[in-house]
């Protein structure tokens, strides 16, 4: 009988490629991973890894078993979800990761919505940009709140993942409260802001894509633009009068003081925000109720941000939660 935990370790090795990376992903020691894989080799009666003094790679048998392990583990999870659905009672631990601005915005609403389900436990963590969908795919977490600036259809990895659209998050202008353009009666003209002191995320950070697209029509960001990592740091500098910044509207949820926000008059770049889950866990009541809570939180956050910008800036409203991002996406079961 093959041990499911060892199959999961093999699958992780196939994903990460090294013993060290597999150990880090699973929060194991490298020696523990190596021992478990050696035990699995004895169970199947074949070599799964070609080992050298400095590296290891899958044999043909190892690759075959890793592919089968992917299917076996998905089927086991689907069976467990189907059995859990028979009780119709959300229970167990649900681990959610979110990028920082979404974690700050959604956490209070998620806690309020899910606290009545006494048999389930919510664990919400902040995650590095771009890692959420991968961690859902490997089973490390249950749900990831991710952002995407491409406007393309999300990669569901051959039906393994489901992307539930939460909201569309446009760029807005962040200003010190005493900046002349903090007055909502004054129009925001992007070209007139070309010579302002801009603060932007470094190249390679997702939000920098939005800033670069926004400023492309006026020649791009000034060469002297300040670059700082993290929206929290950027907003702190703006509040101190160091400069101005284009940030996703979700940043308003941080409640940072000393700031004013204005809409851009043109169609500003935006990111699509999704909740990513495994298709095999869809029937699990705790997953379903958490997805519903995320959708409710996204709608409430979207409405709150729109109201804030309605007071501080002129013209139009933010896209409301439930606006379908390009490429569509899956929704939780009815």
């Amino acid at each position: 009988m093959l041990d499911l935990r060892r199959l999961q370790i093999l699958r992780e090795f196939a994903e990460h490629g090294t013993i060290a990376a597999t150990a880090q992903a699973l929060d194991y020691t490298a020696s523990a991973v190596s021992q478990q894989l050696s035990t699995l080799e004895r169970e199947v009666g074949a070599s799964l890894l070609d080992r050298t003094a400095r590296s290891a790679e899958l044999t043909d048998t190892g690759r075959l078993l890793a592919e089968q392990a992917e299917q076996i583990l998905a089927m086991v999870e689907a069976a467990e979800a189907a059995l859990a659905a028979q009780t119709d009672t959300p229970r167990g631990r649900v681990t959610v990761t979110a990028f920082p601005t979404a974690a700050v915005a959604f956490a209070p609403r998620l806690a309020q919505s899910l606290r009545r389900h006494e048999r389930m436990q919510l664990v919400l963590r902040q995650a590095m940009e771009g890692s959420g969908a991968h961690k859902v795919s490997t089973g490390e977490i249950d749900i990831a709140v991710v952002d995407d600036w491409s406007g393309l259809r999300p990669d569901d990895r051959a039906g393994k993942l489901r992307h539930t659209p939460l909201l569309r998050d446009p760029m807005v202008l962040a200003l010190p409260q005493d900046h002349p353009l903090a007055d909502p009666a004054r129009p925001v003209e992007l070209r007139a802001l070309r010579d302002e002191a801009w603060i932007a995320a470094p190249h390679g950070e997702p939000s920098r894509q939005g800033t670069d697209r926004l400023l492309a029509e006026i020649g791009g960001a000034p060469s002297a633009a300040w670059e700082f990592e993290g929206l929290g740091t950027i907003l702190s500098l703006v509040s101190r009068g160091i400069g101005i910044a284009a940030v996703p509207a979700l940043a308003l949820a941080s409640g940072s003081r000393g700031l004013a926000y204005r809409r851009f008059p043109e169609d500003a770049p935006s990111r699509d925000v999704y909740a990513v889950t495994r298709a095999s866990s869809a029937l699990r009541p705790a997953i379903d109720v958490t997805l519903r809570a995320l959708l409710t939180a996204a709608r409430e956050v979207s409405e709150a941000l729109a109201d804030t910008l309605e007071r501080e800036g002129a013209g139009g409203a933010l896209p409301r939660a439930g606006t379908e991002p390009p490429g569509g996406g899956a929704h939780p079961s009815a």
Side-chain angles (χ1 to χ4, degrees):
M1 179 70 69
L2 295 176
D3 182 88
L4 293 178
R5 186 57 179 165
R6 295 186 186 111
L7 288 178
Q8 183 181 19
I9 293 173
L10 180 66
R11 181 189 66 179
E12 289 292 318
F13 180 85
E15 181 75 26
H16 295 285
T18 68
I19 296 289
T22 302
Q24 183 176 14
L26 295 173
D27 198 23
Y28 280 12
T29 64
S31 61
V33 169
S34 183
Q35 290 171 10
Q36 291 295 315
L37 290 175
S38 295
T39 300
L40 183 60
E41 287 179 315
R42 291 194 295 272
E43 289 177 345
V44 300
S47 295
L48 302 177
L49 274 67
D50 279 331
R51 294 176 173 86
T52 67
R54 294 187 177 181
S55 66
E57 62 180 27
L58 290 173
T59 63
D60 289 343
T61 302
R63 281 189 287 273
L64 175 62
L65 184 56
E67 292 171 0
Q68 295 296 318
E70 185 81 29
Q71 300 176 39
I72 291 168
L73 292 168
M75 292 175 65
V76 169
E77 181 174 41
E80 291 174 341
L83 291 172
Q86 298 300 308
T87 68
D88 202 31
T89 300
R91 66 179 66 203
R93 179 185 174 113
V94 176
T95 303
V96 180
T97 65
F99 55 92
T101 49
V104 172
F106 293 163
R109 294 169 172 83
L110 279 180
Q112 182 67 31
S113 177
L114 297 176
R115 65 191 303 178
R116 68 179 183 273
H117 299 291
E118 298 178 354
R119 296 187 178 183
M120 67 174 286
Q121 177 190 12
L122 173 69
V123 178
L124 177 63
R125 301 169 180 161
Q126 292 191 16
M128 297 294 292
E129 298 282 358
S131 65
H134 171 73
K135 289 185 175 182
V136 171
S137 178
T138 60
E140 294 177 58
I141 59 173
D142 298 304
I143 302 174
V145 178
V146 303
D147 60 350
D148 180 83
W149 291 90
S150 71
L152 302 176
R153 183 179 181 84
D155 179 12
D156 282 333
R157 306 193 185 187
K160 180 178 181 179
L161 301 179
R162 292 184 179 179
H163 285 72
T164 300
L166 296 178
L167 55 82
R168 183 168 295 163
D169 188 24
M171 302 289 281
V172 297
L173 179 63
L175 303 155
Q177 276 187 337
D178 59 357
H179 192 284
L181 279 178
D183 179 1
R186 299 189 62 168
V188 175
E189 297 179 4
L190 189 58
R191 194 167 298 278
L193 298 172
R194 182 67 176 80
D195 296 327
E196 291 274 352
W198 283 87
I199 304 174
H203 289 285
E205 282 203 14
S207 63
R208 180 59 182 261
Q209 299 177 37
T211 300
D212 288 345
R213 284 164 51 192
L214 177 72
L215 300 180
E217 65 180 78
I218 60 171
S223 58
W226 295 79
E227 292 187 1
F228 288 89
E229 189 171 5
L231 285 176
T233 301
I234 290 172
L235 292 177
S236 176
L237 293 171
V238 172
S239 71
R240 288 167 168 77
I242 305 299
I244 65 174
V247 299
L250 266 180
L252 277 70
S254 67
S256 300
R257 297 183 178 181
L259 292 168
Y261 296 95
R262 299 291 307 278
R263 293 187 188 84
F264 289 107
E266 298 86 6
D267 290 335
S270 63
R271 60 181 174 179
D272 298 317
V273 180
Y274 298 94
V276 185
T277 56
R278 290 182 298 281
S280 56
S281 68
L283 293 178
R284 185 179 162 198
I287 298 295
D288 187 67
V289 76
T290 304
L291 275 177
R292 292 177 183 276
L294 278 168
L295 282 167
T296 299
R299 183 179 66 251
E300 292 174 353
V301 166
S302 183
E303 290 171 352
L305 296 182
D307 291 343
T308 298
L309 288 174
E310 199 68 35
R311 294 193 302 270
E312 298 195 15
L318 285 173
R320 303 286 178 168
T323 300
E324 183 75 7
H331 294 268
S333 57

